[in-house]
Amino acid sequence: MKERVIKGDACVAEGAAWLCAHDPRFAAAMKDLQPLPLRLRPDGFAQLLNAIVSQQVSVASAAAIWGRLEAAGMDDPDVVAAASVDDLRALGLSRPKVRYAHALARAGLDYDGLRQQPSDEVIKTLVAVPGVGPWTAEIYAMFSLGRADVFAHGDLALQEAARVMFDLPDRPSEKEMRQMAQNWSPWRSVAARIMWAYYKQIKQREGIR
């Protein structure tokens, strides 16, 4: 069966309605939430490189570095592949991220072809590239490809939201989240949207960033 692709707010609303009917804890969480964000992004090389740039740095730092890379034409894989280590270091990339940027640029990924692949295959293909871990691959499938039934199991915010929503004694592990999320298929990416919004709400309420 062809996977469902989220194309607009109506798809997100349909998924949220299904989840609320399926599990009252989603219905309870949704009561105080604003309409869920669509969160769709472009796909392609630039989006993945931007994700690598953003790893383990502040939002402001990532935005500044990405701005310099874009201005230098480094959102094109051929340009990055031809750039020297010093070129990329001068734009703000650490040595490991230079290595990851070169690996991504030279990986020869078929971004158009990824749109046609099952989500499991997309994630498997992406994590084979150095610097692209499961979280980045899952986020790409969810938001750049719009896949409706993908979940970021290792995301700490989702794990903490699950702990509070489902009244768990501890934050669930990645393995435990994977088991829990099976219950939210075929709308796991909408479940993630609800849980991220819920996490933001509870942290604001508690006064914790």
Side-chain angles (χ1 to χ4, degrees):
M1 186 174 70
K2 189 172 176 62
E3 290 185 62
R4 178 73 180 261
V5 174
I6 291 176
K7 297 181 178 179
D9 292 323
C11 297
V12 175
E14 180 185 346
W18 186 91
L19 289 160
C20 290
H22 187 69
D23 191 317
R25 287 163 292 198
F26 279 105
M30 281 288 292
K31 280 182 181 178
D32 298 323
L33 298 181
Q34 297 296 319
L36 298 173
L38 185 58
R39 299 178 75 118
L40 294 183
R41 305 169 180 171
D43 66 339
F45 170 79
Q47 191 65 38
L48 276 175
L49 181 59
N50 195 345
I52 290 171
V53 168
S54 299
Q55 292 169 2
Q56 297 179 318
V57 297
S58 70
V59 172
S61 294
I65 295 168
W66 182 247
R68 292 195 291 272
L69 288 167
E70 274 193 312
M74 297 293 177
D75 51 356
D76 182 300
D78 293 335
V79 177
V80 174
S84 70
V85 171
D86 288 342
D87 290 337
L88 293 171
R89 291 278 287 146
L91 295 170
L93 292 185
S94 64
R95 287 194 181 276
K97 289 186 180 180
V98 169
R99 188 167 67 251
Y100 299 154
H102 276 150
L104 179 64
R106 296 164 182 166
L109 292 176
D110 178 5
Y111 292 101
D112 290 338
L114 287 177
R115 297 175 193 159
Q116 311 306 320
Q117 287 186 7
S119 294
D120 288 348
E121 286 298 314
V122 170
I123 292 166
K124 182 179 178 181
T125 298
L126 293 180
V127 298
V129 179
V132 180
W135 184 88
T136 299
E138 288 159 352
I139 293 297
Y140 186 87
M142 291 167 72
F143 300 131
S144 291
L145 300 180
R147 300 301 171 83
D149 201 26
V150 175
F151 195 86
H153 306 93
D155 188 276
L156 293 179
L158 294 180
Q159 292 172 358
E160 180 63 11
R163 182 188 70 80
V164 178
M165 279 178 61
F166 293 87
D167 196 24
L168 304 175
D170 299 298
R171 184 187 295 164
S173 66
E174 183 172 345
K175 181 179 179 181
E176 289 167 336
M177 281 299 311
R178 193 172 296 276
Q179 293 171 337
M180 290 178 68
Q182 289 177 0
N183 296 321
W184 310 327
S185 180
W187 290 106
R188 281 178 281 192
S189 76
V190 177
R193 285 169 169 84
I194 294 172
M195 294 168 75
W196 272 314
Y198 182 74
Y199 174 81
K200 182 178 180 181
Q201 180 196 72
I202 61 175
K203 290 308 169 188
Q204 288 173 342
R205 189 168 64 227
E206 294 171 4
I208 302 171
R209 180 175 171 79

